[in-house]
Amino acid sequence: MSLARFLLKRGLQGVFVVWGVVTVVFLLRFITPGDPISVIAPLDASPATRQAIAAELGLNRPLYVQYLDYLVGLLQGDMGYSYISNTSASARVFARLPATLELAVAATLVAVVLSIPLGVLSATNRNEPVDYGATTFSLVGISTPNFWLGIMLVLLFAVEFGVFKTSGRGITSARALSALATGNLDVFVSWLTYITLPAITLGTYFTALITRLTRSGMLDELGSAYVRATRAKGLPETLVRYRHALRNTLIPVVTVLGLQLGTLIGGAVITEAVFAWPGLGTLVINSITGRDWVVLQGSLIVIGVGFVLINLVVDALYAYLDPRVVSD
């Protein structure tokens, strides 16, 4: 099977997954308590007024008609109109999406930069102080609640030392990188003061998980016959570790990276709440509390599509790291 055919197959599977997500999210509005009319209509609204609102929103039509209309709207990029906030749901969701993606990518970079070298050092120095330190760090990172870590980081580095900002996004990453490219370090440093604490908070568990996974995989690979053969040929130890052993360790690591990146996009609610980060997480919470079902549906669909796209990228990396995946 060629790589293009392999990715096409995965893409078609992803389309069916997205359709399933859209269907489930659409039906959630009808099986949860309450209804949109009660939120929009005044408390003393008459039955005639409620019927008029239902007719205007199309809620008096058969369920399958509403579902088909919703699918057609999504294909046209229309997620509906929020009568709670008097804005387009698509506009609200996509306005918040860049902030969440920025935070998720920053947290992933923090995790990858720290965890993979730490996992390799831990595996190549087994039962030594470096290994014990990395194992302890992993255990603490996995066990520490994000909300507590975020609050402690704010109290220490923002309140006590005043190095970082306590809340908000400040400057977009695009503007910060553009400023860095032009040599304007002040803007880039200002961006770092906003994103550093949220990225560390969100990426700590991720870092600990990848460290443990890398260590375990490296221990297995370093004991393999092909590693002993490459050492017997006189290859430098650095080349043996990073060119051969680490590459074969990366397949499960890539799997977890993809799944966790999707989780970071949809599950950064606590971190966004602690740091008042204007992303999808806070939008989902506000939509639930305000019963803004149109915006909530749009947010969940975008998160679901994000998972599918990330998994497609992971499949492509699989094929690059291990060509046997394509031939299976």
Side-chain angles (χ1 to χ4, degrees):
M1 184 186 298
S2 66
L3 177 60
R5 186 178 177 184
F6 172 77
L7 294 179
L8 179 61
K9 178 182 177 181
R10 290 292 189 269
L12 292 176
Q13 292 173 349
V15 170
F16 284 102
V17 172
V18 170
W19 173 69
V21 170
V22 170
T23 303
V24 171
V25 169
F26 176 81
L27 293 176
L28 281 176
R29 188 179 68 180
F30 298 93
I31 63 177
T32 52
D35 63 279
I37 300 176
S38 300
V39 179
I40 300 173
L43 294 177
D44 57 348
S46 64
T49 302
R50 295 177 62 87
Q51 291 177 3
I53 294 175
E56 183 178 354
L57 299 179
L59 299 177
N60 60 342
R61 292 177 296 174
L63 182 60
Y64 72 92
V65 175
Q66 297 183 47
Y67 176 65
L68 292 176
D69 287 345
Y70 189 67
L71 288 180
V72 172
L74 286 178
L75 293 175
Q76 297 175 348
D78 181 15
M79 296 181 180
Y81 186 84
S82 171
Y83 287 87
I84 307 298
S85 56
N86 291 321
T87 56
S88 167
S90 302
R92 292 202 67 190
V93 171
F94 288 110
R96 295 291 192 98
L97 182 60
T100 294
L101 291 177
E102 179 181 313
L103 180 57
V105 170
T108 303
L109 288 176
V110 169
V112 171
V113 169
L114 293 178
S115 63
I116 292 181
L118 194 58
V120 173
L121 285 175
S122 178
T124 54
N125 296 276
R126 188 177 185 181
N127 297 327
E128 295 183 9
V130 173
D131 185 24
Y132 295 140
T135 303
T136 303
F137 167 77
S138 300
L139 180 62
V140 172
I142 289 177
S143 305
T144 303
N146 279 355
F147 71 90
W148 182 86
L149 178 61
I151 293 173
M152 292 300 104
L153 290 177
V154 168
L155 291 176
L156 182 61
F157 293 103
V159 177
E160 185 68 24
F161 297 110
V163 179
F164 300 103
K165 303 297 183 181
T166 58
S167 62
R169 187 185 181 192
I171 303 168
T172 64
S173 58
R175 181 183 172 190
L177 295 176
S178 176
L180 180 64
T182 58
N184 189 348
L185 294 179
D186 292 338
V187 174
F188 183 74
V189 171
S190 177
W191 173 71
L192 289 178
T193 61
Y194 282 97
I195 200 171
T196 299
L197 294 186
I200 292 175
T201 300
L202 189 60
T204 298
Y205 175 84
F206 195 11
T207 303
L209 181 63
I210 298 299
T211 299
R212 294 168 68 92
L213 187 61
T214 303
R215 178 185 182 277
S216 176
M218 283 293 294
L219 288 175
D220 290 339
E221 294 299 327
L222 290 174
S224 301
Y226 77 90
V227 171
R228 293 195 296 268
T230 55
R231 285 171 174 165
K233 291 179 180 179
L235 292 178
E237 186 63 24
T238 302
L239 187 62
V240 172
R241 293 176 185 175
Y242 292 95
R243 176 64 179 83
H244 297 282
L246 181 59
R247 176 167 181 170
N248 291 330
T249 304
L250 286 180
I251 290 182
V253 172
V254 167
T255 303
V256 176
L257 280 172
L259 294 176
Q260 288 296 319
L261 181 56
T263 303
L264 294 181
I265 294 174
V269 177
I270 295 176
T271 303
E272 290 186 5
V274 170
F275 292 95
W277 192 263
L280 278 180
T282 53
L283 181 62
V284 168
I285 294 298
N286 294 335
S287 300
I288 293 174
T289 56
R291 304 192 68 82
D292 195 345
W293 286 107
V294 178
V295 175
L296 179 60
Q297 285 177 327
S299 301
L300 295 178
I301 289 172
V302 168
I303 292 171
V305 172
F307 264 103
V308 171
L309 293 178
I310 290 170
N311 284 326
L312 187 60
V313 173
V314 168
D315 287 336
L317 290 176
Y318 272 0
Y320 171 75
L321 294 172
D322 188 356
R324 292 175 300 175
V325 173
V326 178
S327 60
D328 290 343

